Amino acid sequence: QVLLVQSGGEVRKPGASVKVSCKSSGYTFINSDLTWVRQAPGQGLEWMGWLSTYTGDTNYAQKFQDRVSMTRDTSTNTAFLELRSLRSDDTAVYYCAAKVATLGAPNDHFDLWGPGTMVTISS
Amino acid sequence: QSALTQPASVSGSPGQSITISCNGTGSDIGAYDYVSWYYQHPGKGPQLMIYDVSYRPSGVSSRFSGSKSANTASLTISGLQAEDEADYYCSSYTKFNTVIFGGGTKLTVL
């Protein structure tokens, strides 16, 4: 079964960091880039950036450039999102997503989504 | 980059057709034929309904169709059904090798 499985919900204090994982199964991990999208409560979807699971190259949204890292472990088919210097407006569901059914550039749409990880920032 | 512009809400009766618009710029929608649409039921993750402007993934009903003209993309749902009630998001690949989403449209089936 083609799946993305994400780590469980997290609670952090302002200023802290959080690392969310996304493990793939059922397809070849390095064939599909991995994208992270977040959704604040009651708000829309926000693209955070993508990770080449093959090379490790990344492309981050400008607003997150200085405090986000996207990495992967090809031995476990797992991608990671780390967000630092957390603020209250980082409270959101964080999704990993991939384009699996249609391969090739660009990484423009996502037909496989993880269930989401709720990250709550609260003092 | 600002989000793509969608109407906050649309509504229609069962059996009718509705269209949701998505306005962008020449740096995103107008630049490529890489517009996608997602369906999201409250409390659930997004689901791809349309990609590359007008292509439907396997399993998506033919009642859903997409189109684009200049900097505006559209999603049309024909033969509206109660189960279509959800939030819909457009997205576009951009000249900056990024993806931008619309603000979302809440579809109500009356």
Side-chain angles (χ1 to χ4, degrees), chain A residues 110-121:
Chain A
F110 319 112
D111 51 20
L112 180 65
W113 291 72
T117 296
M118 182 70 211
V119 175
T120 303
I121 312 306

Side-chain angles (χ1 to χ4, degrees), chain A residues 39 47 50 59 106 108-110, chain B residues 36 38 40 52 89 97 99:
Chain A
Q39 186 171 35
W47 183 86
W50 62 257
N59 187 27
D108 66 293
H109 66 266
F110 319 112
Chain B
S36 306
Y38 298 87
Q40 187 179 35
D52 294 358
Y89 294 90
N97 194 23
V99 170

Side-chain angles (χ1 to χ4, degrees), chain A residues 23-45:
Chain A
K23 182 176 175 59
S24 74
S25 63
Y27 70 96
T28 304
F29 179 68
I30 59 172
N31 282 356
S32 299
D33 294 342
L34 212 294
T35 293
W36 291 91
V37 175
R38 77 176 187 180
Q39 186 171 35
Q43 302 300 307
L45 302 173

Side-chain angles (χ1 to χ4, degrees), chain A residues 4-118:
Chain A
L4 293 172
V5 178
Q6 297 186 227
S7 48
E10 304 272 11
V11 180
R12 293 286 186 273
K13 294 188 184 305
S17 298
V18 70
K19 193 169 187 177
V20 177
S21 68
C22 171
K23 182 176 175 59
S24 74
S25 63
Y27 70 96
T28 304
F29 179 68
I30 59 172
N31 282 356
S32 299
D33 294 342
L34 212 294
T35 293
W36 291 91
V37 175
R38 77 176 187 180
Q39 186 171 35
Q43 302 300 307
L45 302 173
E46 181 175 28
W47 183 86
M48 298 183 69
W50 62 257
L51 163 74
S52 168
T53 50
Y54 182 64
T55 65
D57 290 345
T58 55
N59 187 27
Y60 303 141
Q62 195 165 11
K63 72 176 286 186
F64 301 109
Q65 282 280 358
D66 56 349
R67 60 190 190 103
V68 72
S69 295
M70 297 177 189
T71 56
R72 92 282 193 225
D73 180 346
T74 56
S75 69
T76 61
N77 294 340
T78 303
F80 302 94
L81 168 73
E82 182 180 32
L83 191 60
R84 302 176 291 276
S85 302
L86 291 167
R87 308 185 286 252
S88 58
D89 62 358
D90 290 320
T91 294
V93 176
Y94 289 76
Y95 294 100
C96 58
K99 184 172 82 166
V100 175
T102 55
L103 300 181
N107 190 31
D108 66 293
H109 66 266
F110 319 112
D111 51 20
L112 180 65
W113 291 72
T117 296
M118 182 70 211

